[in-house]
Amino acid sequence: KAKVLTGYVLTPAPSVAGLSLPDASAADADFEFVAQPGHLLIMYFGYMSCPDVCPTTLSDVRKALKELGGDASKIDLAMATVDPNRDTGPNLTSYVQGFVPGAHALRTDDPALLKSVADKFGASYSVTTEATGEIVVTHSAALYVIDETGTVVLTWAYGTANGEAIATDLQILFEGGVK
C-alpha cells in the first residue's frame, strides 16, 4: 500500500532560506528557517491568547512527537507570534515550551519583518482593536514543515491533520530521505 501524505506539497515549494525572526527563547539571537541536517522544522504562526486554534494545533504537534518516539529528537518546532504587543518574550517562550519543551518562540516588534516572513510562508493574520477596546486577532493556522535547505516541504491546513496524521507524515518524509 502506497503511503499517502495527509499534508500537501506546494509546487513550486516555497523557499524560506535566508529568512529569520528574533528568537525570544534565546536572548539576542535570530532564528533561521532552516532545519538542522537530518532534521525537520515545523513552523507555526499564532498567539498566546488564542482561545482554541493555537492550543489545539500545538497539542497535535505534541501528540505527534510523542507518537514518533526516538525520531521526535529530529523535529524542531518554532512558533512566531502574530500578536507581539501582548505576547512578550518570556511569556511566549513559556507558552510554546509548555507544549513542546525546547521549542522556539519567535517574536519581533517590526511589523514589516513579521509580515514579510509570514507572506513568504503564505500565512496571513490581522490584529485590530475594536471601538470597545477589545483586541481581535485572526490568523491562518497552517503548520509548515521545512527541511535543511529552507524549503517548505509540507503544509498542514488547520483541522486536516491530528497528532497521528502529523506523525505519519513526518515518518514518510524521513523514510523518503529528507535531505
Side-chain angles (χ1 to χ4, degrees):
K1 179 181 171 190
K3 294 188 176 182
V4 178
L5 292 167
T6 301
Y8 60 90
V9 178
L10 293 174
T11 307
S15 174
V16 294
L19 296 178
S20 65
L21 285 172
D23 190 339
S25 36
D28 297 325
D30 278 351
F31 184 85
E32 294 188 25
F33 299 105
V34 176
Q36 299 173 46
H39 287 225
L40 291 169
L41 167 65
I42 298 174
M43 180 59 197
Y44 183 68
F45 293 87
Y47 66 109
M48 287 173 39
S49 52
C50 182
D52 47 18
V53 173
C54 295
T56 299
T57 301
L58 293 170
S59 291
D60 285 342
V61 172
R62 178 178 56 211
K63 289 175 192 159
L65 295 177
K66 186 174 182 186
E67 182 120 355
L68 281 171
D71 281 343
S73 66
K74 298 187 290 187
I75 306 290
D76 296 304
L77 172 69
M79 180 182 123
T81 181
V82 298
D83 188 11
N85 291 335
R86 294 190 295 172
D87 293 353
T88 61
N91 290 340
L92 182 62
T93 298
S94 294
Y95 176 79
V96 176
Q97 292 182 356
F99 290 95
V100 177
H104 297 271
L106 310 180
R107 182 187 175 281
T108 181
D109 288 318
D110 180 346
L113 175 61
L114 180 59
K115 181 165 179 10
S116 70
V117 170
D119 286 352
K120 196 75 170 164
F121 277 92
S124 61
Y125 61 92
S126 76
V127 181
T128 55
T129 304
E130 296 191 343
T132 60
E134 180 186 359
I135 297 170
V136 177
V137 180
T138 60
H139 65 103
S140 56
L143 287 165
Y144 306 93
V145 182
I146 304 157
D147 69 9
E148 67 185 55
T149 68
T151 301
V152 178
V153 294
L154 193 65
T155 302
W156 294 289
Y158 176 71
T160 61
N162 61 14
E164 187 177 324
I166 291 170
T168 299
D169 279 3
L170 292 170
Q171 287 171 326
I172 291 169
L173 290 173
F174 281 127
E175 288 166 10
V178 172
K179 303 287 183 289

